[in-house]
Structures are given as C-alpha cells and as structure tokens.
Amino acid sequence: MMRSTRMAAVAVCLVIAACGEPAAKPTPKAPVAAPATAPVEAAPEPVALPDTAAGKQLAWILAAINEPENKPTDADLKAHFNDRFLAAVPVAKMHAVIDGLAAIGPLVVTEIDLQSSATSMVVSATAAGKAFKISIAVEQAPPHKIASLFFANQVEPRSDIHSVDELIAAVDAEAARAGIYMARIENGRCQDVVADDAGEMFALGSAFKLYVLSALVQAVEDGRVRWDQPVTIRDDWKSLPSGTTQNVAAGTKMTVRALAEKMISISDNTATDHLIHTLGRKRIEAAVVRSGHPEPARMKPFSTTRELFILRAAPADEVARYAKMPVAKKRAFLDKVIDKRPLPDLKSLLSAWTKPRDIDTVEWFASGKGLCQLMAGFQAHRDEPAYKPALEILAKNPGVELPPEIWPYIGFKGGSEPGVLTLNWLLRRKDGGWYFLSLLYNDGDKVIGPGAISLAPAAARLLAGVPPSSPAH
C-alpha cells in the first residue's frame, strides 16, 4: 500500500505489485541503493517472524537478501511471486532489487506490526543504521505466492521548506560544513542559481565514482576501451561492500559496462576498483583535470576503495604521516605498502569505524560547482556513442523519489561514510532545460543524520520553479 506522502528513498528499494483489485496499479520502482555502506554500531537483536504464510515468505526474502548462498534463481522467483507481480516487476528487475538491498547491508527485523495477519505483514527493520518498513502480502490460497512487497526507508521529505533562504538554513543545520549548489546547464557550462558554500572543497564519499565514469567515457571515446570489453575479476582487486562484485569468483569475466552500471547504481566498490585498474590511476587523474575540477591536486593520488578501507583501518600515526606526504611519496606508499596488505575484516572495521576518520585529509574531494561541470560534460555530449551509455547508467538509481512528470530525466550519484554525505543530480526538466543539484555535508565529529537526505526533495521542488534563462533546447 502506498503512503499518501512520498518518502525519501536513498538507501531504499521500492517493489510494488497489485494485490486485490485496485482502481489503478501503482508503478513498480527499480532498486535504489545507498551511495555507500556506512559503518554502523552493534547490530540490533532480531525479532522472530511468525510461522504464517506471510511470515514464511518474508523469511525467504530476507534470506535471499542477507545470505549470498541463498541468492535465488529465476525458477525460485517464479515459485515465490505470483504472475501479476512478475508482470509488473520482471524477474531480471527483481534480481537487481535483491542485489540493491544486499548492497545496503543485512536487514534485521526489529518489530512486527500488531495489525499483521496470516497473509499480510508490516514489520520494522534496520540495515546499515537506517530504519525501514517492509510490507508483504501473499495470496490467500496455497502456495501463498507473494502478491505485493514494499520496502521503504523511513525518511520523510521536508514539506516545510518554501524558500531558498529556508533551504540554506536547513542544510547548514545538518553538519559542521554544508553546501548547496543549484545551476542551469547551458551549452555545457554551469550557470549559478544557488551557490551556498558549494565552491569549497568537500569530501565526496562514493560520489568520486563520477570521475571514474568520466575517465571511462573518455577512454571509450579515444578507442582505448570498449563498453562491451570484458574485464577479468581478480581477488587482489576486490574491495569491501557496498556492492556485490566482491562475491564474484576470480576469473569470471564482466563487461566494462556491467561494472560501470554496478559502480553507479549500487555504488559497487569492487566494480569501481576493477575499472580504476583497467583505466589506470594517472589517466583518471587526467580526466579530473579535464572535467574542470577547481583543485585537481586534491585528487592525487587517485586511490581505490580498497586502499581507502586499508587506510581507515591503519594506525592513526601512520595515516597522519601519509596525509602529509607529497604526491610522489603517497604513490609509492600506496603501491609498496598499502597495496601489499590484506583487506581488513569487515565486521571488525564496521564495529570500530562508527565516527568520522580523517575526512579532511584522506578522501576524494570536489566542490559542488566542480561536480556540476563534470555532469555538464555528460549532458553536452549526451547523443554521442561514447557518452550515451553514461547517461543511461546515471539514470538507473535516482537517489530519492522526484516526480517524473517534472523531471523526465534524473541522473544521480551520492556518497557517504561517517561524517560525509553528498547527493548529486543531473536533471532534465519537462521544458527540456537541464539542471544540476548538489547537497554536500561534512562533519569531523558526527555521522550525518537522515534529515540531510530529507531536504533533497524540497531542493528539487525549488529548482523546478526556476525560470529558464533561454529557450529550452
């Protein structure tokens, strides 16, 4: 059942299929995955699901999401979902849904709604420190196939923001450093609409993957790489979640495009690192310069996610020494020291990494306007063969729910870790005009709260009302 108020949906997947005979079917939503998996504190105690038809089906779904060994086959999905559901959400999309939720982190049921029945349930759950509601309904008759399924992140969009001044004040209240940048994109250039501290450098989290995508597009355009080129998965290039490619067996081949889709749509770290190695660190750094980044030296050396995880687990004094090294010594340190170490144990890292670590020194950095200029490059060349797939990839995960009747194209990439949250959109409005929106939050003392996400729909609503500066094109 849809709520009357649309929920912000970062780190959420919505899957809806008709149950009963509604007047109009809700439109199924594709998976929306978190920009990155933020470390969390001790896991909550799970609540046992009842031994009912709905409880058994929900337990099966949770096992499919939480346990890689229980990843369902096509036949499994057809056995558990009814035909009407699969007509609305085909098997291929359902696999993507499960992968997207698996990338967020284990879903743990913490409460069962008292109104639940034998064939329908509403439960509360958590994953990666975020709260969810899960609704499920199954058919009355055996084998009780799933008729509807709904996952929602419980972050309500702010409805009390009616002006740019109110938006800026609300954004600034969420973190020690915060910025918002809105722009029209005209002829591949960003024209300021709102620029509040967005010219400053911010730690990006996984939004840095936009620069990998930019370098990839340029490599395709230059003929050095093909979108359908196979890349062999290697254990020494694997990273930690978010994502699912770390579970793929070494020796498996995946295309460049498949890796890029995972990198952007579910912020897959291992897919990202395979692309970084395929392209080469220095070629990505050159792409950063070409993108119009205002301080490209801040992105050197361009580290992999594996290297960042190892640095996050390293002793504080070693990280401090690394941060002060000149670029050449940093390169040598990554190649000769960090890249020789094994990945840290995920559970141990998550239990220890609950507060911001070195986000001002060991990260990837950009400004809101710099990110806009990068996205404007995608927009300006959108009809060219090398660039068209990039626009399609950016649109796979819209980040939050924005009305498609206002924004028929929504491209998104965000990023997060403790103390960092960035949300970045390339948008085409219904009048044909192109726009950019970025919300940037950094705080060295605390984790950024969900209120920072809830401001995104309000920002997009204000941007929707900005008059075009020239005829739509």
Side-chain angles (χ1 to χ4, degrees):
M1 180 172 63
M2 291 290 287
R3 293 192 178 194
S4 58
T5 303
R6 302 185 81 182
M7 287 183 156
V10 168
V12 62
C13 167
L14 302 180
V15 186
I16 307 163
C19 123
E21 295 294 335
K25 293 183 188 179
T27 303
K29 305 292 183 180
V32 180
T37 301
V40 296
E41 304 210 12
E45 287 294 322
V47 171
L49 293 171
D51 189 28
T52 62
K56 290 176 180 177
Q57 289 285 32
L58 182 55
W60 177 81
I61 284 288
L62 292 175
I65 293 167
N66 294 340
E67 302 167 13
E69 66 271 22
N70 287 321
K71 182 176 173 63
T73 63
D74 289 3
D76 291 332
L77 294 177
K78 291 175 182 177
H80 283 269
F81 290 90
N82 69 12
D83 291 342
R84 193 170 183 181
F85 186 102
L86 293 177
V89 186
V91 165
K93 182 173 284 188
M94 197 60 215
H95 281 302
V97 164
I98 290 171
D99 287 347
L101 286 165
I104 298 170
L107 276 163
V108 178
V109 174
T110 58
E111 184 178 1
I112 299 173
D113 194 294
L114 293 177
Q115 297 181 16
S116 296
S117 68
T119 56
S120 67
M121 291 183 67
V122 178
V123 303
S124 298
T126 63
K130 300 176 176 67
F132 290 78
K133 282 286 187 183
I134 306 174
S135 300
I136 187 171
V138 303
E139 292 177 333
Q140 297 288 331
H144 304 294
K145 289 188 175 182
I146 298 169
S148 72
L149 184 63
F150 180 78
F151 293 83
N153 184 316
Q154 299 179 76
V155 177
E156 296 289 348
R158 289 280 293 272
S159 59
D160 59 333
I161 305 296
H162 305 292
S163 70
V164 169
D165 287 343
E166 290 176 341
L167 177 64
I168 290 173
V171 168
D172 288 345
E174 292 293 335
R177 293 181 59 236
I180 179 168
Y181 185 72
M182 299 182 186
R184 300 182 189 90
I185 297 177
E186 301 279 353
N187 301 316
R189 306 299 298 175
C190 297
Q191 299 180 356
D192 297 1
V193 172
V194 176
D196 178 64
D197 291 339
E200 297 183 15
M201 291 293 107
F202 283 84
L204 297 179
S206 281
F208 87 91
K209 293 166 185 174
L210 289 169
Y211 289 97
V212 181
L213 184 63
S214 176
L216 176 57
V217 168
Q218 289 168 7
V220 173
E221 188 175 42
D222 294 343
R224 291 183 286 105
V225 174
R226 302 187 320 274
W227 284 110
D228 63 352
Q229 179 177 320
V231 176
T232 302
I233 301 302
R234 293 173 45 164
D235 283 335
D236 59 332
W237 290 358
K238 288 184 178 181
S239 186
L240 298 176
S242 55
T244 59
T245 307
Q246 71 277 359
N247 299 322
V248 175
T252 304
K253 294 187 183 297
M254 296 178 64
T255 66
V256 162
R257 175 154 185 170
L259 292 170
E261 288 179 349
K262 284 181 172 290
M263 173 177 73
I264 299 298
S265 66
I266 62 170
S267 208
D268 192 305
N269 291 327
T270 293
T272 302
D273 286 3
H274 277 70
L275 289 175
I276 292 173
H277 286 293
T278 298
L279 295 168
R281 202 192 302 269
K282 290 190 176 181
R283 289 191 183 275
I284 299 175
E285 292 167 359
V288 171
V289 174
R290 288 193 295 269
S291 75
H293 193 294
E295 296 183 31
R298 296 289 300 273
M299 295 284 262
K300 294 181 180 180
F302 198 95
S303 63
T304 64
T305 68
R306 180 187 178 103
E307 289 166 341
L308 186 76
F309 281 122
I310 293 171
L311 284 167
R312 288 288 185 258
D317 59 340
E318 184 178 53
V319 177
R321 289 195 302 273
Y322 171 80
K324 294 177 181 179
M325 292 177 186
V327 171
K329 287 191 175 182
K330 282 183 177 178
R331 290 191 197 282
F333 186 75
L334 291 178
D335 292 342
K336 297 178 181 180
V337 179
I338 297 301
D339 289 348
K340 305 300 182 185
R341 293 181 184 174
L343 276 168
D345 174 71
L346 178 60
K347 185 175 181 181
S348 299
L349 180 62
L350 294 185
S351 64
W353 186 15
T354 59
K355 294 182 179 180
R357 289 189 180 184
D358 307 299
I359 64 170
D360 294 328
T361 55
V362 181
E363 246 281 357
W364 302 273
F365 301 93
S367 66
K369 189 157 189 172
L371 289 165
C372 180
Q373 203 53 57
L374 171 67
M375 289 284 216
F378 293 132
Q379 181 272 338
H381 302 281
R382 62 192 179 278
D383 294 325
E384 297 177 14
Y387 284 81
K388 190 174 180 181
L391 272 290
E392 295 170 354
I393 289 167
L394 286 168
K396 285 187 172 292
N397 173 356
V400 300
E401 285 190 272
L402 300 178
E405 65 274 15
I406 297 174
W407 303 107
Y409 176 83
I410 303 169
F412 171 77
K413 186 70 192 84
S416 70
E417 66 170 271
V420 176
L421 176 66
T422 63
L423 307 166
N424 311 282
W425 285 270
L426 174 64
L427 302 164
R428 179 169 60 83
R429 204 164 60 180
K430 61 181 179 181
D431 61 8
W434 287 82
Y435 294 81
F436 177 78
L437 167 63
S438 185
L439 299 176
L440 304 151
Y441 305 93
N442 282 185
D443 197 308
D445 296 320
K446 68 175 185 179
V447 173
I448 309 299
I453 299 171
S454 71
L455 294 166
R461 186 174 66 248
L462 291 170
L463 186 58
V466 172
S469 59
S470 61
H473 58 278

